[in-house]
Amino acid sequence: MDMDADRIESLPKVSVIVINFKGTSQLKKCLKYLERTKYPNYEVIVVDCLTENIEKWLKKHFPRVKLIHYNRDVGPSASHNVSEEILDPKSKYLAFLDNDAYVTEEWLIELVKVMEENEEIGVAQAKIVTAENPEVMDHAGAAIDALGTWYTLRGKKASAITKTLELFASSSAACIVRRRLFRCVGGFDPDYFIYDDDTDFSFRVRLMGYRIVLVPSSIVLHEGGVEKSLNPRKIFHSVKNRMYTMLKNYEVGNLLWRLATYILLTFLAGVGLALIGRRIAESKAVFRSLLYPFLNLRKIMIKRAWIQSKRRIKDSDLMKRGFIRSDAYSTLQDIKLKWIALSSKK
């Protein structure tokens, strides 16, 4: 896109934030693709955890890229929360990319266009397809079931999605958000550390009355596959974060039965893991994660009070539009996949 400096300055500035962890191979590929972006008014910020000598590496290979580096693992959730001092003061939008997401030339042009056309849209997700097979959709949260699992578009034919599609939740692998809205909703919750942080963030955006959409003309390839393993770390964060999201965001009437159902079924799952043998570590992770939110209840309730004070729409509004479901179909399908993977292991 060739244009003069005045024309470039007239376009809204975007801060593109790339989340990276412990290595440069995927990051290098991500940044190489990012250099092809035709949208002319953007900056790139890499937020990294635990990559040795990354500052020197970036200066050599990508000298214009800003860096935030942590010598500890703060988690992907906290990594999204770039301080105002780092961001260009002129940036109107924040775009997020995982380090295994590879953009196409028009990706940012199309996202900005949608945001500029409609002030009601708070977040726009790219049409994320799998890098292994670009004809197949990656994750996008069309809705959530009663226990917080996405009705995801993963596995659908990418060619079938040709019009802007409204979502309940955006994948943080490749999306754009209004900067002022990001601050207004409090950014990503660092207590999530990993998993379901984009669900919680999107929930808060929705409660403030903003729309979330998928933009089919913005295409990004994603290497991240479906995690089918049942390791203790994944179990701990996944379970506690589902409970966090419920406790913080739902109105009381919807919170109580969903949370009670989730606790009961998860407790039974923990017992089941213990009974099938050689899964004691996973079983302990279940019970530890069930207790964790209640041991930190005061902190969560403070967050809940703040979120509810900003609420502009009711849960029932989201339910009427099909974004929040009262069934557990997606959760049962997810459990089935995990159980098959678990049973196949010797």
Side-chain angles (χ1 to χ4, degrees):
M1 180 180 287
D2 296 324
M3 57 180 68
D4 58 35
D6 290 339
R7 172 64 176 140
I8 291 173
E9 285 297 315
S10 71
L11 296 171
K13 185 74 175 277
V14 182
S15 292
V16 180
I17 299 162
V18 180
I19 309 302
N20 189 62
F21 176 75
K22 216 172 187 177
T24 58
S25 58
Q26 278 187 327
L27 179 62
K28 184 177 183 179
K29 184 176 178 181
C30 176
L31 295 178
K32 281 290 185 183
Y33 272 86
L34 197 51
E35 286 181 333
R36 305 176 188 178
T37 299
K38 284 190 174 180
Y39 189 81
N41 198 15
Y42 73 98
E43 65 172 353
V44 179
I45 303 168
V46 169
V47 183
D48 171 75
C49 293
L50 296 172
T51 302
E52 294 183 4
N53 301 315
I54 188 170
E55 184 174 4
K56 182 178 179 181
W57 181 84
L58 273 178
K59 283 182 178 179
K60 178 180 179 181
H61 297 283
F62 303 95
R64 296 178 61 188
V65 172
K66 294 181 181 179
L67 173 67
I68 301 172
H69 172 69
Y70 295 98
N71 289 318
R72 66 188 190 284
D73 186 5
V74 302
S77 302
S79 295
H80 288 86
N81 297 330
V82 175
S83 68
E84 291 291 323
E85 292 75 18
I86 298 295
L87 297 170
D88 188 312
K90 296 180 181 178
S91 288
K92 182 178 180 180
Y93 298 107
L94 308 179
F96 295 104
L97 287 175
D98 286 352
N99 66 351
D100 56 358
Y102 312 123
V103 304
T104 54
E105 292 181 348
E106 306 283 339
W107 79 286
L108 195 52
I109 293 173
E110 297 301 316
L111 290 179
V112 172
K113 184 193 304 181
V114 167
M115 299 296 279
E116 288 290 286
E117 288 175 351
N118 192 338
E119 288 287 331
E120 293 181 358
I121 296 173
V123 181
Q125 177 188 314
K127 183 178 181 179
I128 309 173
V129 297
T130 62
E132 299 81 7
N133 183 0
E135 297 300 316
V136 175
M137 288 293 300
D138 196 84
H139 286 300
I144 54 171
D145 73 5
L147 304 182
T149 304
W150 281 13
Y151 276 82
T152 180
L153 297 180
R154 185 176 176 90
K156 305 288 186 183
K157 287 186 177 180
S159 59
I161 301 173
T162 58
K163 296 181 180 180
T164 300
L165 177 68
E166 194 146 4
L167 305 171
F168 173 74
S170 166
S171 169
S172 59
C175 67
I176 191 170
V177 58
R178 298 183 188 279
R179 179 177 178 177
R180 57 176 173 76
L181 175 61
F182 187 81
R183 300 307 174 194
C184 190
V185 301
F188 282 68
D189 188 338
D191 289 339
Y192 278 59
F193 190 78
I194 192 172
Y195 304 125
D196 276 1
D197 49 338
D198 44 9
T199 306
D200 170 64
F201 174 74
S202 296
F203 208 142
R204 284 179 274 129
V205 168
R206 277 288 182 183
L207 291 183
M208 289 196 65
Y210 284 88
R211 295 170 58 198
I212 298 173
V213 299
L214 183 149
V215 182
S217 54
S218 172
I219 299 173
V220 173
L221 289 76
H222 189 213
E223 280 189 352
V226 177
E227 291 192 60
K228 296 181 180 179
S229 61
L230 274 177
N231 61 75
R233 179 176 179 266
K234 176 177 174 58
I235 289 172
F236 174 74
H237 289 297
S238 295
V239 171
K240 80 170 176 64
N241 290 347
R242 289 288 176 90
M243 296 171 69
Y244 270 28
T245 299
M246 292 180 187
L247 285 163
K248 289 164 54 183
N249 296 297
Y250 278 116
E251 291 172 316
V252 174
N254 290 309
L255 166 64
L256 296 178
W257 74 266
R258 291 170 190 267
L259 183 62
T261 303
Y262 185 77
I263 290 172
L264 174 61
L265 294 179
T266 305
F267 177 84
L268 293 175
V271 172
L273 285 169
L275 291 177
I276 64 174
R278 298 190 303 279
R279 296 292 169 185
I280 300 303
E282 289 88 344
S283 180
K284 286 181 178 179
V286 169
F287 298 127
R288 187 163 64 93
S289 61
L290 285 174
L291 284 174
Y292 193 87
F294 295 101
L295 295 175
N296 294 273
L297 193 59
R298 182 177 180 275
K299 184 178 183 181
I300 296 172
M301 288 299 102
I302 291 172
K303 292 181 180 181
R304 173 181 173 80
W306 183 80
I307 292 167
Q308 298 304 316
S309 72
K310 289 181 171 287
R311 175 191 285 270
R312 294 180 183 173
I313 64 171
K314 296 181 178 180
D315 292 351
S316 58
D317 296 327
L318 296 173
M319 291 174 183
K320 287 175 184 176
R321 300 186 64 189
F323 294 129
I324 297 177
R325 305 279 293 267
S326 295
D327 61 78
Y329 178 80
S330 290
T331 297
L332 293 175
Q333 289 296 107
D334 187 58
I335 290 172
K336 180 181 177 181
L337 289 174
K338 299 292 194 303
W339 184 260
I340 292 172
L342 184 65
S343 301
S344 66
K345 291 184 178 182
K346 295 182 180 179

